[in-house]
Amino acid sequence: MIGKLNHVAIATPDLAAAAARYRDVLGADVSAPEDLPDHGVTVIFVNLPNSKIELLAPLGLDSPIAKFLQRNPAGGVHHLCYEVPDIMAAKAKLESAGVRILGSGEPTIGAHGKPVLFLHPKDMGGTLIEIEEA
Ligand code: CO
């Protein structure tokens, strides 16, 4: 069912420092920061030949990554995103296997303008998983 690894998201308390590390130390292609108010994050995309890293910093008071940064003040891996060809078919299969979907349970439009769902980390081996229709 799942296809490519679309991205690994890393939450950081200091987006400029994280971007500089990827650009200047690791020599990666790093985008300008982009505010995504609907998602409560500012994101920088690190474009790798085979995937992307998303550097996430909280935006606004109600950011979904604020709690994560309280627990992990230095930042860390926040979620992995896999591509699926049909998000509603994926949702049905996951729910029939007992996997809980976060939020309303319905797809929302993610950072790349595509429908996404987030799966409960307790049902996914302790890792927050995003699936994105590609
Ligand atoms: Co993501």
Side-chain angles (χ1 to χ4, degrees):
M1 178 173 75
I2 61 169
K4 286 184 182 168
L5 175 67
N6 185 278
H7 60 271
V8 175
I10 298 177
T12 175
D14 186 340
L15 200 54
R21 184 178 308 118
Y22 274 86
R23 186 184 54 236
D24 302 334
V25 181
L26 296 173
D29 170 27
V30 171
S31 79
E34 197 177 322
D35 288 343
L36 301 174
D38 290 351
H39 296 279
V41 294
T42 302
V43 61
I44 285 178
F45 298 103
V46 180
N47 298 302
L48 304 177
N50 65 341
S51 197
K52 293 187 284 286
I53 306 294
E54 286 183 8
L55 303 173
L56 302 175
L59 176 67
L61 298 174
D62 224 13
S63 174
I65 65 168
K67 257 190 212 150
F68 179 89
L69 285 172
Q70 275 164 23
R71 289 194 305 271
N72 305 276
V77 174
H78 183 262
H79 65 267
L80 307 183
C81 178
Y82 302 121
E83 296 180 0
V84 295
D86 179 337
I87 200 140
M88 294 313 285
K91 170 178 149 70
K93 184 166 186 194
L94 288 159
E95 285 179 331
S96 73
V99 174
R100 287 167 288 176
I101 291 168
L102 298 182
S104 72
E106 294 305 316
T108 59
I109 298 303
H112 313 110
K114 308 263 183 71
V116 301
L117 290 170
F118 283 90
L119 312 180
H120 200 301
K122 287 191 175 152
D123 299 335
M124 284 285 129
T127 303
L128 178 59
I129 300 293
E130 177 181 18
I131 58 172
E132 177 176 299
E133 187 168 281

